[in-house]
Amino acid sequence: MAYQHNPESNEHELSKVLVSHTLASWRFLLLMALIPLLWAIFCASGGLRRSLITAGAGIVIYQCWRLWLDNHYFSELTQENNRQAGIILTSIWQKQKLQDFTLEQRYQGALKQLKYSLISCALLWLIWIITLLFK
């Protein structure tokens, strides 16, 4: 029996793999957040600067957790179980809108979260470098 080529199925598989590899960059962002955080913990004097760095690092670490979670969700999601997954995610997170997303919309939301994470990490580093330059 010859292999039947289904372009739509292949496209969804490719999207899944590419999004998964892209979201795996949470590891890099976590490392980038830990450097200023460790500086704030061990080197910075108390005050506003230390608080800003610590809060910024906390935000980036939270966003890394969200990316990690999305990456693991996508490893289990398919076109076939997306509707059922939406019902379960609605139950877990108590957000009705999670029930109605298509798999493509879920991918877009995760990539949007990645962009926010990158921006947050860049702002953290900007604040940290300014803090180092203007002690």
Side-chain angles (χ1 to χ4, degrees):
M1 183 174 205
Y3 172 74
Q4 293 182 349
H5 181 64
N6 185 348
E8 187 175 310
S9 176
N10 288 341
E11 184 179 323
H12 290 297
E13 263 316 297
L14 181 60
S15 292
K16 180 178 182 174
V17 169
L18 292 176
V19 168
S20 178
H21 288 306
T22 303
L23 293 179
S25 64
W26 68 265
R27 296 174 182 109
F28 173 74
L29 289 173
L30 183 61
L31 177 65
M32 295 300 288
L34 288 178
I35 296 168
L37 179 62
L38 291 173
W39 175 85
I41 292 170
F42 295 112
C43 299
S45 58
L48 182 62
R49 294 177 191 172
R50 185 178 197 172
S51 299
L52 278 173
I53 299 293
T54 304
I59 289 168
V60 173
I61 291 168
Y62 167 74
Q63 291 173 334
C64 287
W65 171 74
R66 293 272 314 267
L67 294 172
W68 172 84
L69 193 60
D70 283 346
N71 196 19
H72 281 76
Y73 283 163
F74 290 139
S75 70
E76 302 298 326
L77 282 175
T78 63
Q79 286 290 101
E80 292 77 32
N81 69 6
N82 182 54
R83 180 79 174 136
Q84 183 182 5
I87 293 167
I88 294 168
L89 289 171
T90 298
S91 173
I92 293 171
W93 297 108
Q94 300 297 308
K95 289 188 176 183
Q96 188 63 35
K97 66 181 182 176
L98 292 174
Q99 186 170 342
D100 302 322
F101 289 145
T102 64
L103 193 55
E104 191 62 37
Q105 288 173 317
R106 293 186 198 285
Y107 289 159
Q108 292 303 317
L111 294 174
K112 192 176 192 181
Q113 179 65 40
L114 177 62
K115 288 177 188 174
Y116 290 145
S117 302
L118 289 168
I119 291 168
S120 297
C121 192
L123 287 173
L124 171 63
W125 271 72
L126 180 66
I127 293 168
W128 182 49
I129 289 171
I130 289 171
T131 300
L132 290 174
L133 292 175
F134 299 106
K135 277 188 176 183

